[in-house]
Amino acid sequence: MTDAHAFDTDRIDLTDVNLWTSDPHPALHHLREHDPVHWQEADPANPFANRSFWALTRHSDIVHVSRHPELFSSAHGITEATLDTGISDFDTFSMLGADDPYHGWMRALVSTAFTAKLVRESEPYIREITVAVLDEVAGRREPFNFVHEVSAKTPIRVIGDVLGVPRSDQHLLTEWTDAVSDISDLTIDFEKGTGHSAKAGAATAEMFAYLERMQRLRADAPTDDLVSKLMGAEIEGERLNWQQQRETFFLLATAGNETTRNTTTAGVRALAEHPDQRRELIENPKLLKDAVEEMLRWGTVVSHFRRTATQDTVIGGKRIAKGDWVVLYYSAANRDPSVFPDPDRFDIHRKPNEHLAFGGGGPHFCLGAPLARLQLRVVFEELLQRFPDYSVVGEPVFNESNFFHGIKYLPVRLYPE
């Protein structure tokens, strides 16, 4: 573990995108050891720090907040800053940015596409997609960007099919969600302390216009996809309005793509760096179930979510005032040594593995977790059997995001030279 004394607690800025485009864990380790409930001061010049907040880095504290929605609300925003990305009112209508009973009502509608039975029955179909994706790169002797050519394709095809987006258009989902997660074109308003991503705004506008065209086609001829279900589903006589439908579409497209593909990439990199563990998985694929859990922990994709205190309370001996922002850093929790012995070691045999890659429990636990786990297992079963000797031949390039902590470029060679 990195020497915790190498950091000045007051100078650590968790909102700094540069922290997340390298290795954030030394800084996170320092905070968890020295100031696990850390007051992150606002910086008016930084659009990602336009308000001060409490940063939680300890596993137990994050679980506590996650499982007490009556004390910590999601309905007042879910990120550590307010950015104009063209997604107006996202926090108001998204499941992520809602409390019960509204959250439960929304979740019940969407969960029809993610039942345990439907997920189990989708394995042959996911395997077919995975095999087709690997067929497209088979035979390539030169290195290529694994993220673009493999990691991104299986999850976007799966979620695209669930939503009802034709295969010929599914590349658009990748382009749109990439634009939303990458803030490299951010324009900063130093006076207001906010930022605007023109790329993200244009992408979400295009996505919503596309959804509107899909809805017009389904108005008179409903299909069996999730868009049709969202248009027609009712609970207690109420239906989703247009705003709710488009934010749900956005959420599923983004979450269904970014999280699974980034975990796939993290797993590919980790196994390349640990060839002994990769060989174990090749010889005994049954170990992949536990290996997937370690990939989820090791490569935690969603770095944080925010809650807002609904009343005065205490966390870790710190007094939290009503209205204070509390940001849950899952990346830190997933390397908490009080829960994970030798937390900086990648270990496919790690048990128990109580990671928080899908959230800390409570009502907002990730709805798509079973589908993500299935996709990851199938992808690595097929990848390791077909390309057991792949290698990573260069340094990764990370997303320019302090929310999705993932790799956008990973050069991979499938065959030995």
Side-chain angles (χ1 to χ4, degrees):
M1 188 178 297
T2 302
D3 182 6
H5 297 291
F7 290 90
D8 180 346
T9 301
D10 292 335
R11 296 177 66 86
I12 293 176
D13 183 2
L14 295 175
T15 67
D16 183 0
V17 173
N18 293 322
L19 177 71
W20 299 92
T21 55
S22 54
D23 181 7
H25 291 291
L28 295 173
H29 283 321
H30 177 90
L31 286 181
R32 191 179 51 245
E33 181 177 345
H34 295 279
D35 193 16
V37 184
H38 172 68
W39 183 246
Q40 181 75 62
E41 288 284 355
D43 178 0
N46 183 347
F48 299 101
N50 50 21
R51 178 172 161 176
S52 301
F53 59 83
W54 295 101
L56 272 56
T57 51
R58 199 159 46 193
H59 189 283
S60 59
D61 291 335
I62 291 173
V63 169
H64 168 74
V65 170
S66 301
R67 297 183 180 182
H68 288 86
E70 75 283 2
L71 295 177
F72 304 98
S73 170
S74 299
H76 301 280
I78 55 173
T79 62
E80 63 192 13
T82 302
L83 291 182
D84 179 6
T85 59
I87 316 170
S88 61
D89 300 324
F90 180 78
D91 286 346
T92 303
F93 291 101
S94 165
M95 277 192 298
L96 293 179
D99 296 328
D100 288 335
Y102 177 77
H103 166 264
W105 176 76
M106 287 276 290
R107 189 178 176 99
L109 286 177
V110 178
S111 65
T112 58
F114 297 97
T115 64
K117 181 174 183 292
L118 289 176
V119 170
R120 285 195 305 272
E121 292 175 349
S122 67
E123 180 170 344
Y125 155 74
I126 291 173
R127 194 173 300 278
E128 178 184 345
I129 290 176
T130 302
V131 169
V133 168
L134 294 178
D135 283 345
E136 294 170 7
V137 297
R140 294 179 63 168
R141 295 287 171 178
E142 296 301 315
F144 60 92
N145 182 7
F146 193 88
V147 180
H148 183 265
E149 299 293 339
V150 179
S151 297
K153 288 187 176 180
T154 298
I156 209 64
R157 289 182 185 177
V158 171
I159 200 64
D161 287 353
V162 169
L163 291 169
V165 177
R167 290 282 178 89
S168 59
D169 288 344
Q170 288 177 2
H171 67 282
L172 296 173
L173 292 177
T174 300
E175 294 171 10
W176 292 329
T177 57
D178 281 354
V180 170
S181 66
D182 187 342
I183 47 76
S184 58
D185 70 332
L186 188 70
T187 299
I188 301 173
D189 185 329
F190 288 97
E191 182 177 344
K192 296 180 179 178
T194 59
H196 171 80
S197 174
K199 185 190 300 182
T204 52
E206 291 175 10
M207 184 186 295
F208 295 153
Y210 186 90
L211 173 61
E212 194 168 3
R213 292 194 294 274
M214 290 179 68
Q215 291 174 318
R216 285 199 297 268
L217 291 173
R218 286 156 176 74
D220 297 322
T223 60
D224 194 39
D225 57 57
L226 191 55
V227 168
S228 291
K229 290 178 181 177
L230 291 175
M231 290 172 64
E234 287 189 11
I235 292 183
E236 298 178 357
E238 292 190 60
R239 292 189 178 187
L240 294 181
N241 61 33
W242 159 238
Q243 180 78 353
Q244 294 163 335
Q245 289 181 46
R246 75 176 191 169
E247 304 305 353
T248 302
F249 183 87
F250 173 88
L251 171 61
L252 294 174
T254 304
N257 172 25
E258 293 289 339
T259 52
T260 307
R261 80 161 177 181
N262 283 314
T263 303
T264 299
T265 307
V268 166
R269 182 187 179 204
L271 292 179
E273 295 173 348
H274 299 82
D276 54 335
Q277 297 189 54
R278 172 168 46 171
R279 180 55 52 186
E280 283 191 77
L281 293 176
I282 292 169
E283 295 173 354
N284 185 4
K286 291 182 179 179
L287 296 174
L288 268 167
K289 183 178 179 181
D290 290 337
V292 163
E293 298 306 311
E294 182 68 346
M295 292 174 195
L296 288 161
R297 182 193 74 89
W298 178 260
T300 306
V301 174
V302 178
S303 66
H304 71 272
F305 271 123
R306 167 166 64 90
R307 301 290 184 261
T308 301
T310 62
Q311 56 186 274
D312 293 349
T313 187
V314 175
I315 304 176
K318 299 286 184 72
R319 298 184 64 82
I320 312 298
K322 179 180 179 180
D324 279 357
W325 286 7
V326 177
V327 180
L328 319 178
Y329 282 93
Y330 306 113
S331 298
N334 282 342
R335 299 209 184 181
D336 187 335
S338 70
V339 179
F340 307 100
D342 198 1
D344 289 325
R345 177 171 56 89
F346 179 81
D347 182 7
I348 62 172
H349 300 288
R350 187 180 295 278
K351 281 187 177 181
N353 195 337
E354 299 176 1
H355 65 77
L356 307 184
F358 294 121
H364 284 277
F365 187 81
C366 179
L367 188 64
L371 182 62
R373 286 182 163 115
L374 173 60
Q375 289 185 70
L376 290 165
R377 176 174 62 79
V378 170
V379 164
F380 279 95
E381 283 175 355
E382 296 296 332
L383 174 69
L384 294 176
Q385 290 304 311
R386 295 187 65 174
F387 308 111
D389 300 313
Y390 79 83
S391 57
V392 174
V393 294
E395 291 300 312
V397 177
F398 285 86
N399 294 334
E400 293 181 331
S401 170
N402 59 354
F403 184 71
F404 284 123
H405 181 56
I407 297 170
K408 64 180 179 181
Y409 174 77
L410 187 73
V412 166
R413 188 190 300 275
L414 293 178
Y415 307 98
E417 292 187 86

